[in-house]
Amino acid sequence: MEILGYILSVFIGISLGLIGGGGSILTVPVFVYLFHLEPTLATSYSLFIVGLTSLTGTVYQYSKGYVNVKAALSFGLTSVVTVFLVRKYLLPEIPDILLQVGAITVTKSTAIMVFFAALMLAASVSMILGHREKELIGGQTNLVKLLGYGVGIGLVTGLLGAGGGFLIIPALVLLVKIPIKKAIGTSLFIITINSLVGFAGDLGHVYIDWQFLFKILAITVLGVIIGSIFGRRISGDRLRSGFGWFVLTMGIYILSRELF
């Protein structure tokens, strides 16, 4: 199973390089089901992998002129603060057993994976229908919605260790009116900041196996380089749709495994 985990790590990087998100939502399931890590630890490791992998993609996209630094910093401010607060103060305070009624016990780990599966289902719909984003560009930028998106993305990143690219890209396209190609590069920059700040909030709370992390990182970085190169030649709509169906399948599998 670990061999499969290493193989899927390549695709995590490829997805980040191709569509500026999506791959990070596979990282936690790979760590939990294939490397047999506890879900809370898996979210911490995911933040490290996703953050540095996205940084590699950001550097490449920036060299091609596909990163809007000003938009990334203004949009990412609320999400960065939210991520840090969630990882540093909220997550450690959540009890291991959330609910116990008779023989039914809902643990923190189960809740995280169920929440993650629900997020994957929502993400898959967003990716499958992503081609509609271009049709909706227009109107005035709504600052309240933008700030709300930042907090929401921060909660997702902080609780689940996912970069939130599937939320960031539509927000950049619809609210900030950034072209889709530049939104992908800008999304990687925001994911980098959010993920690494979230991981910093974990230091001192969890045990870090640095050798394992850097091994996975080397694989995902290779993937993001491959994805960034091929992303310039492949239709973004086809990429999002195909990956969306894959994420939908994974979400259904995780949900059924955790509940039944």
Side-chain angles (χ1 to χ4, degrees):
M1 295 298 285
E2 287 190 2
I3 294 176
L4 179 59
Y6 288 119
I7 294 173
L8 287 179
S9 295
V10 178
F11 288 96
I12 290 169
I14 289 176
S15 174
L16 283 166
L18 283 173
I19 60 176
S24 58
I25 208 167
L26 294 179
T27 312
V28 170
V30 165
F31 282 149
V32 171
Y33 296 123
L34 301 181
F35 292 109
H36 308 293
L37 299 180
E38 191 273 329
T40 302
L41 180 62
T43 63
S44 180
Y45 281 19
S46 174
L47 289 171
F48 178 84
I49 296 299
V50 171
L52 290 183
T53 303
S54 298
L55 176 60
T56 303
T58 299
V59 172
Y60 178 84
Q61 296 285 3
Y62 183 80
S63 70
K64 302 299 179 181
Y66 286 126
V67 177
N68 187 322
V69 176
K70 182 179 179 180
L73 294 177
S74 60
F75 179 82
L77 181 60
T78 53
S79 61
V80 166
V81 173
T82 305
V83 169
F84 184 80
L85 293 177
V86 168
R87 297 303 297 192
K88 190 71 175 180
Y89 300 107
L90 177 60
L91 199 61
E93 295 301 319
I94 298 177
D96 291 332
I97 298 179
L98 298 178
L99 179 66
Q100 189 164 18
V101 180
I104 300 176
T105 301
V106 179
T107 66
K108 178 180 178 179
S109 297
T110 300
I112 287 176
M113 294 311 297
V114 170
F115 189 15
F116 207 97
L119 182 68
M120 292 181 80
L121 296 180
S124 66
V125 173
S126 174
M127 286 185 237
I128 292 170
L129 302 179
H131 62 281
R132 297 182 182 177
E133 295 165 9
K134 294 179 182 178
E135 301 170 8
L136 298 173
I137 297 177
Q140 298 298 314
T141 301
N142 189 317
L143 181 60
V144 175
K145 286 185 178 180
L146 198 60
L147 294 175
Y149 255 91
V151 173
I153 291 165
L155 286 171
V156 168
T157 304
L159 288 173
L160 303 181
F166 71 96
L167 292 173
I168 296 171
I169 292 175
L172 291 174
V173 172
L174 301 177
L175 301 179
V176 191
K177 302 170 189 63
I178 293 177
I180 187 64
K181 289 288 187 179
K182 185 165 286 190
I184 290 174
T186 307
S187 170
L188 285 172
F189 187 26
I190 296 172
I191 291 172
T192 298
I193 298 171
N194 284 352
S195 299
L196 293 181
V197 168
F199 180 74
D202 278 356
L203 295 177
H205 292 296
V206 297
Y207 167 75
I208 306 296
D209 185 344
W210 293 105
Q211 183 177 0
F212 170 73
L213 279 181
F214 280 110
K215 189 185 301 183
I216 297 294
L217 178 63
I219 297 172
T220 56
V221 165
L222 174 63
V224 81
I225 293 173
I226 295 172
S228 296
I229 294 173
F230 280 93
R232 297 172 58 83
R233 306 175 184 176
I234 304 176
S235 165
D237 291 341
R238 292 178 60 187
L239 290 171
R240 276 193 300 272
S241 179
F243 194 80
W245 285 109
F246 177 67
V247 171
L248 177 64
T249 303
M250 287 290 294
I252 293 173
Y253 168 76
I254 294 172
L255 196 61
S256 62
R257 174 170 176 147
E258 294 296 329
L259 295 181
F260 306 110

